[in-house]
Amino acid sequence: MRKILPALFLFVFSLTAMAQERVVTGKVTSQEDGSPVPGVNIIVKGTATGTATDADGSYSIRISSDNAVLLFSFIGYNEQEVVVGSRSTIDVQLALDITQLSEVIVVGYGTQIKQDITGNVAKVDGKVIQNVPVTSFEQAIQGRAAGVLVTAQNGKLGQGINVQIRGANSISAGNEPLYVVDGMIINYGSLSNNGAPTNALADINMNDIESITFQKDAAAAALYGSRGSNGVVIITTKRGKSGKTNFTANFQMGSSKPTGIREFLNSDQYVELFREAAYNNDLADGFDPINNPADYPGSWLEYAEDEMDYMSGNGNPATNWRNASTRVNTDWNDVAFQDASMTSFDLTASGGSEKTSFYFGGGFADQDGILLGNQFRRISGRVNLDHKATDKLNFGVNFSLSKTINNRVSNDNAFSTPLQLVAQAPITPVRDPDGNLYDDSTNPSMFYYPATMEKENARFVTEVFRNIGSLSATYKIVEGLSIKGEYGFDLLTQNEDRYWNNLTQQGRDPLVNGYGQSNWTQVFNYTTRASVMWNKLIGEHAIDAVGVFEFQEASIDFTDAQGQGFPLKELTRLESAATPIISSSSLTESTFVSYIGKINYKFRDKYLFQVSGRVDGSSRFAPNNKYGFFPAASAGWILTEEGFLSDAGPLSFLKLRASYGFTGNAAIPDYIFLASYGGVAYGGNAGLTPTQIPNPDLSWEKTGQFDIGVEFAFLNDRLTGEFDYYNKQTEDLLFNVPVPGTVGYLDAFQWQNIGDSENKGFELVLDYAVVRTSDLTIRIGGNYANNKNKVLKLDGYQTEIHPTSSRYINSFIVGQPIGVFFAREYAGVDPANGDALYFVNDPDGDPNATTNSWNAANRIVVGNPTPTSIYGFHVDAKYKGFDLNILFQGVSGNQVYNAAGGFMSANMRYEDNQTVDQMRRWQQPGDITDVPQARLYGNNGANASTRFLEDGSYMRLKTVTFGYNFSPELASRLKLNSLRLYVSGQNLLTFTDYSGWDPEVNTDFLAGGNQFLANDFYAAPQPKNLMFGIKIGF
Amino acid sequence: MAISCTDELELNDPGAIGDNIALANDANVKAVLLGGYNALSNGAFFGGNTLRNSELLAANGEIVWSGTFSDPSDIFNKEMAATSGDATNLWLSAYNAINIVNNVLSALDVVNAADQDQVEGEALFIRGIAHFELVRFFGLPYSTGNASTNLGVPIMLTPNSVELVSRNTVEEVYTQVIDDLEMAESLLADGPNNGKASKQAAAAILSRVYLQMGNYVEARDAANRVISSGIYDLMPTIASCFNTGSTSEDIFDIPVSTADGINNMQTFYASTANGGRGDVEIQAAHVALYDGTDDRLDLIITDPVTLELRSGKWLNAFGNVKIVRLAEMYLTRAECNQRLGTSVGDTPLNDINEIRSRSSLDDLGAVTLGDILLERRLELAHEGSRIHDVKRLQETITEGVDIYSYSDPLLVFPIPQREIDVNGNLIQNQGY
């Protein structure tokens, strides 16, 4: 035995030796979608042996020992080490490394490696927003980028979303960022004509998006000159890579529900409070119809009870409120919302040859809104092609076409909007016993026209065709010097088609007899651009320079036709209208001419500089001020490249950077500096009326922004982060200043460059890889931003500008944030008589003094409509085939004003149903409560005050996705590259003290400007979505 | 390239023209004058709200506002705030009309010589009636006797002035209104009414102004000039006066059609069955004022939807807004003759019987001032004259337990908060 053992060893050893030199083959795929990854570097660790994957992701490498360790590395992916052992086939899945410093980032007029960037740019990878069930990408990036505040106006699909980067600057011009898709400025904002903004970005299929970058500081945004002040959002769509053609198909379906419900009185409570409100009036008038029946005829109580007869089915005994057995209890919240389902399907293909690569994406989405009658559908296709004609000449083509069909509902201010149904009395049945809908006129039992009628008898469809395309040609003159020509366009055609039959409020007047409307809007926006790019490496000096000339023209052509008198309900197009009512058309155009220069200089890979300048001229500005110049400079210093920090323990990367520059804001209507007279009609004759007070000096709004930041990484880049402080000073605000009405313009405002504002704040981004092994990765990260916004100067003689309507309380006040809530302070209820009380707030008087006269109380600053803090944090975990992604998002430091409080929470002022808290009303002397005595048609505490103001902070479980990826072996047995099943939820939990439907609100009919922020007015909450999906790659 | 691009930056609004063009020639100035009428016809002004608000202030338990719009509700309840949309919109639309015609007056020299008087007269008519409506709502009543110290509204006579103006006294505004209307009457051609100013329209409004001041001689004479012109005739029935375009009885009205104009009296008074909002309900106390055989009761109708009573004067959304009818001239002439003991034009008795017989009422044998005032109240009910009559007659308004004297500051509109905020020279009214 002793002799045999060495022999055995020898034998085994020789076997091993025989196995030493052998070939290992395999395939490298992306863990994300199972697609092959070409060009992955593979080396045998500790040797010089290496290879790279081919176009199919396949490789073959010679190893000399089973102990050999293969190291797979590729930019953008985590490195992976694999011990070969006895295997001869080793397939590897690489995980994306989304925080790598060597990541390529799209910036204005170029791309840069993240660690070389001297400005503040936040990137959201397209992968994290894929298949999120929302209609436009801004909703999907909520909480993903520091300092980017996204607020959906309400829960209607395809409608307005407000995006603010580092706070609002402007009083009257736009505060939304500029959107650039594949280098072309596209149309964004609203083209709606019903008072509720729509969202032109909803036409973009976000599954085609490769990355979104937010250009936040001046170094990044000044490249966009007169339109950079609000930051720039650069969207890059996916492109093909040469190699085998890969297909992915994704199918998902799910359903939505409201995130929140506001509770209203049930019918017993309603009857009690309604009678009480009337009876209180009688007592106040010196009558007592309850204890003294002789007082009943002609009393308020009789009147109210008659009203309730009307409201409970117009006297129909089957539903009469007076009898407990026939009294109905309609929950109008339930009627306003519908069961909402959603389905979507996407197919992509990408690949190409050495010379030509392509990406194709097609998508179909069909989503119901949670509001009665709301539905959004989109079908879209995109082709991106790249072709190398010669070594020197490249062509690129991007082309997308989409059609969206949005079944819309009325704006939040209309009786016909679904959520205003909650104003109906719970004693009112939805339908009469014959099944016909009740309303306020044709089958009367209501005081307010109901959305139910609108749903069944009206049509409101907005159809948009959107074609965004671009062509480019790049020619390399010599190494390092190339020129590029580009042409891009965005063509948008929209029809808002509406029809109301003769049962609707709009169409039921016998003289009207059906009403139809068709609004056609066509927007054509094109850009032509010529660029020169030069880069040179001279020893330790790297220079990169770009020069650009750009011309952009946009026109909006609008035609409105309306008619009435439709012979039959079935004939719903304007051709059947007996009488044309309105036909009008308009055209507005704007042009921008720009010259842009940018130089980047890098010395020894650690000293970074960028200088840029842009000259913009625009038709939007007055003759005396057509052109503006917008320079910026920035510098960065990578300290970890310095000798003294080259071995800094756990610190693996440290960069300091600073920037300063100027941007402008040109987001104002066309022609506003001109004196103009517009057409009017009087008695059938055409007349002229002065419409605009001229200003021959009108110019840009100017923002100077300073930013200082630090980027760091610890523990071999396991912990990475970024911290920035910024100070934005905006002057010459574009301000539509109110002037005395005696000037004699109905719209007594004049556009002036006057006023100053500032935004100061900081942003923190952290990302930590808790575990990163090949089986298990756990990553947590988050971002936090704090912004202090302040108006520094208004028009010079006013220090406060208040809303013209008494229903709202947003003001502009020097020293306060834009749109600050400024109102009378509610002081509760006088225990002696049930009167609503307000604090007098006389600066010279008793601070606790109260009054029951709303007029006698002084207004004070009571809240901020814009969050001061916004944050998001996420956990991403992967274990073998499983993955889990969780995102929380939230805001704080803001208030929400329920402008409908004067109707729905007004201690039964009108017939409107009341929120359930109104049962706390004052009833008898000595009662201590915050709800005043009910007085029918009396205004007891219903005026605008802090009574209807609440904390608007919230935190949301924004997105949760849990998925399982089948192993490549199993997938390949099914002839697939990859197979993934997942469930995903959106807005699953909302943590807030707000008592309304949803604290994320900015009621749509007020959301057009910058003043009326964070108002709730029967605004629908965000949907809570839950869905299931399957994704295959082949 | 820079030069050609500069051209590209010079764009003009294809939907508007500059003031250099708007006031450059005869046709354009006349078009701007139409713009002045259009401003008068604003829904917030003679498009209806100013009529409605007069009635709401003087509700007196005879009508109830049951609508949800809070601004008119506050007017009805006499609890307006300085931020009232109605106060703001009346202010803005009246000054809008004034400014447009001030622009017209500044460009009279480009108007064809033959038309200059007419254009000037129409412009002055608009300026006069707009200042009059402003001072009636924003100033204390002339009848308080302190018109020369009470604040009225700023008088605006120059175009496009952004000056921070101060309020003129009530007396000064009335003086300006009379100057404008007298000048207008002298310049304008005779009627009939075609939705524009005429010699008689100016005289009719002038009679209102004088009546409001208690100057019965001038009010009588102005009313008499309208009647004796012979251009206008009472319609055969009261019902035929309403829900129509212009009739022979209309001295001035605001045209409304499916193509343009708005009738806000219809918007708020008509039942939902007629396409209105059904916000104003007539109460039994008002019905009780009529004689049972009075045809004017036929104009108080039951809302088929809510079964409330509503005015039948405002059922047609495309009917004209009646501003001044011939019947008012008879009533004014009768009242003044009665007060003065004169019979200019005709006797008060004949004038009143003229109005009564049209509504199937028996002729009176003798007439008192009270009879005349009651006749006026019934004939002109729900047409926007009530609060102004209450103020000049120094009557009271009773709402439940609250009694408002004719000079109660709560019956006067607040100067809009917007204007106070923008113009530090404006002094707010009492009570706001």
Side-chain angles (χ1 to χ4, degrees):
Chain A
M1 203 49 188
R2 284 181 184 226
K3 284 179 186 171
I4 297 170
L5 266 178
L8 256 176
F9 272 121
L10 198 67
F11 177 69
V12 172
F13 184 70
S14 64
L15 274 179
T16 319
M18 280 166 65
Q20 268 177 353
E21 286 287 316
R22 65 185 173 91
V23 171
V24 172
T25 60
K27 188 172 178 180
V28 180
T29 52
S30 165
Q31 197 184 57
E32 197 65 18
D33 54 7
S35 66
V37 187
V40 175
N41 277 310
I42 304 154
I43 54 168
V44 182
K45 215 176 166 185
T47 75
T49 312
T51 182
T53 56
D54 65 13
D56 296 330
S58 303
Y59 71 94
S60 119
I61 193 166
R62 184 163 288 274
I63 58 161
S64 55
S65 155
D66 284 359
N67 299 325
V69 175
L70 297 181
L71 182 65
F72 295 81
S73 65
F74 187 63
I75 281 188
Y77 289 87
N78 285 327
E79 280 185 0
Q80 202 176 118
E81 292 182 6
V82 179
V83 181
V84 175
S86 59
R87 290 177 289 177
S88 60
T89 303
I90 298 177
D91 291 338
V92 169
Q93 279 198 307
L94 288 184
L96 278 174
D97 180 356
I98 48 173
T99 60
Q100 233 180 41
L101 297 160
S102 54
E103 190 178 14
V104 175
I105 306 276
V106 179
V107 295
Y109 302 95
T111 58
Q112 266 183 296
I113 303 292
K114 179 156 173 60
Q115 71 175 20
D116 288 351
I117 294 179
T118 52
N120 183 298
V121 178
K123 176 182 166 178
V124 175
D125 200 286
K127 295 199 169 64
V128 306
I129 61 168
Q130 286 226 326
N131 307 323
V132 177
V134 291
T135 47
S136 67
F137 69 86
E138 312 98 284
Q139 284 166 290
I141 53 102
Q142 205 174 22
R144 295 276 183 196
V148 180
L149 171 65
V150 180
T151 309
Q153 290 165 5
N154 55 29
K156 295 172 188 170
L157 297 180
Q159 297 217 202
I161 293 168
N162 299 108
V163 176
Q164 257 182 30
I165 297 178
R166 293 186 165 180
N169 307 312
S170 194
I171 303 278
S172 305
N175 277 326
E176 298 286 309
L178 184 72
Y179 289 89
V180 176
V181 173
D182 293 328
M184 297 296 159
I185 293 169
I186 58 156
N187 303 317
Y188 55 98
S190 172
L191 292 168
S192 168
N193 295 297
N194 84 327
T198 51
N199 182 3
L201 298 172
D203 304 329
I204 296 173
N205 180 359
M206 59 191 195
N207 293 326
D208 289 336
I209 295 176
E210 174 70 28
S211 74
I212 301 168
T213 58
F214 297 88
Q215 318 287 316
K216 294 190 285 186
D217 72 342
L223 289 165
Y224 291 91
S226 65
R227 284 168 291 179
S229 276
N230 300 323
V232 182
V233 181
I234 300 182
I235 297 154
T236 308
T237 59
K238 291 175 179 167
R239 313 203 75 82
K241 288 181 281 218
S242 58
K244 173 174 172 281
T245 300
N246 291 300
F247 296 91
T248 64
N250 181 66
F251 174 77
Q252 62 192 33
M253 58 189 297
S255 63
S256 342
K257 284 200 292 207
T259 45
I261 287 292
R262 202 192 269 273
E263 281 195 69
F264 285 83
L265 303 184
N266 64 30
S267 58
D268 293 346
Q269 292 167 320
Y270 181 85
V271 167
E272 178 186 339
L273 200 55
F274 198 71
R275 290 183 74 245
E276 183 179 314
Y279 182 55
N280 287 339
N281 288 5
D282 287 322
L283 294 177
D285 290 348
F287 299 101
D288 186 347
I290 289 180
N291 295 310
N292 186 359
D295 284 353
Y296 185 77
S299 68
W300 279 99
L301 186 61
E302 182 192 31
Y303 175 84
E305 293 186 340
D306 289 351
E307 293 239 295
M308 286 199 287
D309 284 343
Y310 167 74
M311 288 190 282
S312 60
N314 202 9
N316 190 322
T319 52
N320 194 273
W321 66 279
R322 292 178 194 259
N323 189 332
S325 65
T326 55
R327 184 183 291 179
V328 302
N329 184 22
T330 306
D331 182 345
W332 288 100
N333 246 315
D334 269 2
V335 182
F337 293 115
Q338 65 182 1
D339 290 335
S341 65
M342 63 177 102
T343 312
S344 72
F345 179 72
D346 290 282
L347 179 71
T348 69
S350 71
S353 66
E354 243 168 66
K355 279 191 167 288
T356 306
S357 60
F358 76 97
Y359 166 83
F360 164 80
F364 171 74
D366 182 348
Q367 190 171 351
D368 292 334
I370 52 175
L371 281 180
L372 190 67
N374 191 202
Q375 185 192 23
F376 181 87
R377 280 165 289 170
R378 176 180 57 220
I379 183 159
S380 65
R382 166 174 286 277
V383 178
N384 289 352
L385 279 179
D386 294 288
H387 177 68
K388 284 190 181 117
T390 69
D391 280 351
K392 288 182 175 275
L393 185 61
N394 289 329
F395 291 104
V397 178
N398 305 322
F399 190 85
S400 74
L401 188 61
S402 67
K403 176 185 183 180
T404 58
I405 304 167
N406 195 347
N407 291 350
R408 289 164 65 190
V409 295
S410 303
N411 76 47
D412 289 341
N413 196 30
F415 285 135
S416 53
T417 202
L419 217 47
Q420 287 213 18
L421 284 175
V422 298
Q424 306 290 357
I427 57 173
T428 308
V430 179
R431 292 173 192 275
D432 68 18
D434 297 330
N436 300 312
L437 287 170
Y438 278 121
D439 70 353
D440 59 327
S441 177
T442 311
N443 187 18
S445 183
M446 294 171 169
F447 287 99
Y448 311 120
Y449 175 69
T452 44
M453 205 59 151
E454 191 85 350
K455 162 80 167 42
E456 296 183 14
N457 297 285
R459 178 181 71 231
F460 184 8
V461 181
T462 300
E463 243 180 50
V464 178
F465 289 92
R466 185 82 179 262
N467 184 190
I468 301 176
S470 63
L471 296 168
S472 69
T474 311
Y475 184 74
K476 188 161 46 165
I477 299 169
V478 292
E479 190 59 42
L481 178 66
S482 46
I483 55 172
K484 187 176 186 181
E486 289 169 276
Y487 172 82
F489 67 90
D490 179 357
L491 172 62
L492 188 159
T493 305
Q494 171 180 284
N495 181 20
E496 290 179 294
D497 174 52
R498 304 189 77 168
Y499 169 72
W500 295 266
N501 75 18
N502 62 3
L503 294 174
T504 60
Q505 186 178 41
Q506 185 81 21
R508 69 193 174 198
D509 182 333
L511 294 170
V512 173
N513 191 32
Y515 199 88
Q517 178 176 22
S518 180
N519 281 321
W520 281 92
T521 308
Q522 185 168 74
V523 186
F524 186 66
N525 168 0
Y526 74 89
T527 304
T528 55
R529 183 183 300 140
S531 320
V532 183
M533 285 110 19
W534 179 67
N535 64 69
K536 186 88 180 169
L537 203 61
I538 311 166
E540 293 175 308
H541 309 272
I543 301 170
D544 203 333
V546 184
V548 181
F549 168 76
E550 192 177 281
F551 177 74
Q552 189 196 2
E553 179 166 353
S555 62
I556 301 177
D557 199 338
F558 172 71
T559 300
D560 181 14
Q562 301 182 29
Q564 66 187 32
F566 286 79
L568 290 172
K569 279 185 191 141
E570 290 74 17
L571 297 175
T572 68
R573 298 284 161 179
L574 281 176
E575 63 178 343
S576 307
T579 319
I581 298 298
I582 291 177
S583 83
S584 107
S585 72
S586 67
L587 173 68
T588 63
E589 295 172 301
S590 63
T591 49
F592 283 86
V593 172
S594 312
Y595 307 86
I596 304 137
K598 174 172 85 155
I599 298 173
N600 285 86
Y601 169 67
K602 181 164 70 164
F603 178 59
R604 287 187 179 159
D605 280 339
K606 57 190 171 189
Y607 305 113
L608 315 164
F609 302 93
Q610 178 180 301
V611 178
S612 68
R614 175 168 179 142
V615 172
D616 264 345
S618 174
S619 63
R620 292 233 171 104
F621 295 96
N624 301 345
N625 283 305
K626 279 257 181 258
Y627 285 89
F629 176 57
F630 304 92
S634 55
W637 179 22
I638 302 175
L639 284 86
T640 37
E641 293 288 319
E642 297 286 0
F644 59 85
L645 270 181
S646 61
D647 189 16
L651 182 67
S652 49
F653 180 78
L654 182 64
K655 177 169 91 177
L656 292 177
R657 54 178 164 71
S659 68
Y660 188 74
F662 294 93
T663 51
N665 187 349
I668 50 171
D670 295 327
Y671 316 123
I672 58 170
F673 61 89
L674 294 168
S676 47
Y677 276 70
V680 292
Y682 178 78
N685 298 307
L688 286 169
T689 194
T691 50
Q692 193 163 277
I693 310 174
N695 180 354
D697 297 316
L698 195 71
S699 184
W700 329 100
E701 176 173 308
K702 296 163 195 72
T703 296
Q705 183 177 188
F706 170 73
D707 182 294
I708 184 160
V710 55
E711 293 170 27
F712 51 85
F714 289 93
L715 305 168
N716 220 357
D717 297 355
R718 231 170 131 163
L719 173 67
T720 59
E722 207 169 329
F723 179 85
D724 277 79
Y725 167 81
Y726 60 87
N727 184 338
K728 279 204 288 184
Q729 299 288 327
T730 304
E731 58 181 28
D732 293 347
L733 289 178
L734 279 166
F735 191 172
N736 199 13
V737 179
V739 293
T742 44
V743 71
Y745 285 71
L746 204 51
D747 186 26
F749 290 86
Q750 183 186 32
W751 283 90
Q752 299 176 4
N753 282 107
I754 197 161
D756 304 326
S757 71
E758 73 171 18
N759 285 280
K760 290 181 188 173
F762 63 89
E763 294 163 357
L764 176 66
V765 181
L766 285 175
D767 193 276
Y768 180 55
V770 183
V771 183
R772 48 176 185 188
T773 65
S774 56
D775 274 349
L776 176 66
T777 60
I778 300 175
R779 201 163 203 135
I780 57 175
N783 63 76
Y784 174 86
N786 186 285
N787 185 66
K788 294 261 186 305
N789 168 253
K790 208 190 269 186
V791 175
L792 299 180
K793 187 183 132 198
L794 290 169
D795 56 9
Y797 57 92
Q798 294 187 88
T799 55
E800 301 182 0
I801 294 178
H802 303 301
T804 48
S805 164
S806 55
R807 198 186 288 169
Y808 310 105
I809 61 173
N810 299 97
S811 297
F812 297 116
I813 299 177
V814 170
Q816 298 293 336
I818 284 172
V820 70
F821 290 128
F822 182 72
R824 286 157 176 95
E825 191 182 3
Y826 186 61
V829 178
D830 187 338
N833 58 19
D835 279 357
L837 294 178
Y838 302 93
F839 287 108
V840 176
N841 281 320
D842 178 351
D844 306 321
D846 172 7
N848 295 319
T850 60
T851 170
N852 65 355
S853 162
W854 182 80
N855 277 317
N858 291 292
R859 292 174 290 181
I860 58 167
V861 168
V862 294
N864 186 352
T866 307
T868 49
S869 294
I870 55 178
Y871 56 88
F873 57 92
H874 55 93
V875 179
D876 300 302
K878 278 188 177 136
Y879 177 69
K880 295 195 165 161
F882 292 96
D883 57 61
L884 175 66
N885 301 284
I886 297 171
L887 172 69
F888 282 91
Q889 164 265 331
V891 304
S892 68
N894 59 312
Q895 280 75 31
V896 171
Y897 183 68
N898 181 17
F903 300 111
M904 65 168 69
S905 304
N907 33 287
M908 204 56 101
R909 181 184 183 185
Y910 299 118
E911 294 84 357
D912 295 56
N913 197 11
Q914 300 290 293
T915 50
V916 76
D917 57 356
Q918 299 304 298
M919 292 306 284
R920 287 202 302 265
R921 79 287 187 196
W922 183 96
Q923 287 180 286
Q924 55 193 3
D927 280 358
I928 306 290
T929 177
D930 59 346
V931 179
Q933 188 187 32
R935 294 168 192 169
L936 193 60
Y937 303 140
N939 185 345
N940 190 13
N943 280 330
S945 76
T946 57
R947 183 180 176 192
F948 307 117
L949 189 70
E950 290 185 53
D951 186 356
S953 304
Y954 72 87
M955 183 176 79
R956 258 201 183 125
L957 177 52
K958 191 73 200 165
T959 311
V960 179
T961 304
F962 179 66
Y964 179 69
N965 299 290
F966 286 82
S967 68
E969 295 77 34
L970 193 63
S972 63
R973 245 180 275 157
L974 297 166
K975 306 268 188 264
L976 298 173
N977 283 336
S978 64
L979 172 62
R980 170 178 167 80
L981 299 176
Y982 60 96
V983 288
S984 178
Q986 265 246 308
N987 301 327
L988 294 182
L989 297 170
T990 304
F991 305 93
T992 181
D993 290 335
Y994 183 61
S995 67
W997 284 280
D998 191 337
E1000 182 184 349
V1001 63
N1002 190 10
T1003 190
D1004 54 22
F1005 71 100
L1006 292 174
N1010 303 333
Q1011 181 172 6
F1012 297 104
L1013 305 170
N1015 286 291
D1016 194 350
F1017 195 85
Y1018 303 97
Q1022 290 302 298
K1024 181 194 293 188
N1025 304 326
L1026 192 63
M1027 51 149 213
F1028 168 79
I1030 177 167
K1031 185 171 188 175
I1032 56 176
F1034 54 95
Chain B
M1 186 170 267
I3 291 162
S4 70
C5 285
T6 301
D7 293 341
E8 296 286 351
L9 298 180
E10 305 290 341
L11 299 178
N12 279 308
D13 185 349
I17 55 170
D19 50 359
N20 52 337
I21 301 172
L23 299 173
N25 60 47
D26 173 72
N28 289 2
V29 172
K30 287 174 181 165
V32 174
L33 180 61
L34 274 176
Y37 284 108
N38 182 64
L40 277 191
S41 75
N42 191 307
F45 200 11
F46 288 118
N49 287 5
T50 183
L51 279 61
R52 179 202 68 192
N53 293 339
S54 165
E55 298 297 333
L56 291 179
L57 277 176
N60 199 40
E62 295 172 45
I63 58 171
V64 163
W65 172 267
S66 65
T68 54
F69 282 5
S70 50
D71 285 330
S73 172
D74 289 346
I75 294 172
F76 169 69
N77 289 321
K78 283 60 148 174
E79 51 190 31
M80 290 177 81
T83 48
S84 162
D86 275 285
T88 306
N89 293 332
L90 173 59
W91 183 278
L92 289 175
S93 52
Y95 280 110
N96 181 222
I98 291 167
N99 184 52
I100 294 173
V101 296
N102 280 335
N103 273 288
V104 170
L105 293 169
S106 76
L108 277 179
D109 51 338
V110 303
V111 175
N112 292 345
D115 300 333
Q116 279 186 5
D117 281 358
Q118 181 69 18
V119 168
E120 183 180 0
E122 291 186 35
L124 291 171
F125 171 82
I126 291 170
R127 191 166 80 181
I129 196 172
H131 276 115
F132 179 49
E133 207 61 17
L134 282 168
V135 75
R136 289 207 287 184
F137 276 99
F138 291 101
L140 281 165
Y142 193 91
S143 54
T144 58
N146 303 320
S148 58
T149 52
N150 287 339
L151 291 179
V153 294
I155 297 171
M156 298 303 290
L157 304 177
T158 50
N160 310 327
S161 164
V162 291
E163 202 189 329
L164 303 183
V165 291
S166 302
R167 294 174 68 179
N168 290 90
T169 65
V170 170
E171 185 73 50
E172 286 166 343
V173 180
Y174 270 85
T175 304
Q176 181 63 44
V177 168
I178 290 168
D179 283 354
D180 282 349
L181 291 173
E182 284 186 339
M183 187 69 171
E185 187 184 351
S186 74
L187 292 168
L188 284 164
D190 285 332
N193 167 51
N194 56 357
K196 294 194 201 166
S198 62
K199 188 179 285 295
Q200 288 72 35
I205 301 301
L206 207 47
S207 82
R208 263 191 198 175
V209 176
Y210 281 124
L211 192 63
Q212 204 65 28
M213 298 167 78
N215 185 337
Y216 302 113
V217 174
E218 293 291 347
R220 175 197 65 195
D221 293 348
N224 186 51
R225 289 198 294 278
V226 177
I227 300 167
S228 61
S229 73
I231 298 169
Y232 307 92
D233 295 303
L234 290 182
M235 292 293 284
T237 65
I238 183 76
S240 58
C241 295
F242 295 96
N243 303 308
T244 65
S246 293
T247 70
S248 64
E249 185 166 336
D250 289 314
I251 301 163
F252 182 65
D253 63 3
I254 300 289
V256 179
S257 70
T258 54
D260 67 80
I262 185 164
N263 184 337
N264 262 356
M265 286 301 275
Q266 189 273 345
T267 307
F268 295 101
Y269 271 74
S271 158
T272 53
N274 294 100
R277 295 178 53 91
D279 287 340
V280 180
E281 298 167 1
I282 294 175
Q283 303 299 296
H286 179 71
V287 180
L289 298 171
Y290 295 80
D291 185 298
T293 64
D294 193 331
D295 281 356
R296 289 173 299 209
L297 277 175
D298 297 342
L299 285 174
I300 294 176
I301 59 170
T302 301
D303 185 328
V305 177
T306 63
L307 308 180
E308 303 291 346
L309 297 178
R310 306 213 181 273
S311 170
K313 289 182 174 178
W314 309 105
L315 302 178
N316 182 354
F318 307 111
N320 290 2
V321 184
K322 311 293 172 138
I323 303 300
V324 56
R325 295 191 283 124
L326 183 62
E328 180 185 333
M329 296 299 103
Y330 280 106
L331 293 161
T332 299
R333 185 170 76 178
E335 180 183 339
C336 296
N337 271 325
Q338 182 81 10
R339 287 177 185 274
L340 297 166
T342 56
S343 300
V344 172
D346 207 337
T347 62
L349 181 64
N350 285 345
D351 280 349
I352 290 307
N353 284 338
E354 183 88 12
I355 300 300
R356 286 175 61 86
S357 62
R358 194 254 298 264
S359 288
S360 311
L361 292 168
D362 297 337
D363 280 356
L364 297 177
V367 69
T368 65
L369 182 61
D371 294 335
I372 297 170
L373 294 179
L374 176 63
E375 206 55 47
R376 182 181 184 90
R377 184 168 173 184
L378 301 182
E379 177 68 20
L380 303 181
H382 318 300
E383 292 182 61
S385 65
R386 185 64 195 139
I387 193 63
H388 309 302
D389 282 335
V390 167
K391 287 181 176 180
R392 74 180 174 86
L393 298 168
Q394 306 191 349
E395 295 176 352
T396 56
I397 300 291
T398 306
E399 310 282 5
V401 295
D402 297 319
I403 297 171
Y404 302 88
S405 98
Y406 80 99
S407 60
D408 192 317
L410 294 177
L411 301 180
V412 178
F413 275 18
I415 301 297
Q417 187 65 43
R418 172 196 194 285
E419 300 302 312
I420 300 279
D421 288 344
V422 177
N423 178 357
N425 292 333
L426 292 179
I427 295 166
Q428 183 53 281
N429 279 331
Q430 244 183 297
Y432 297 101

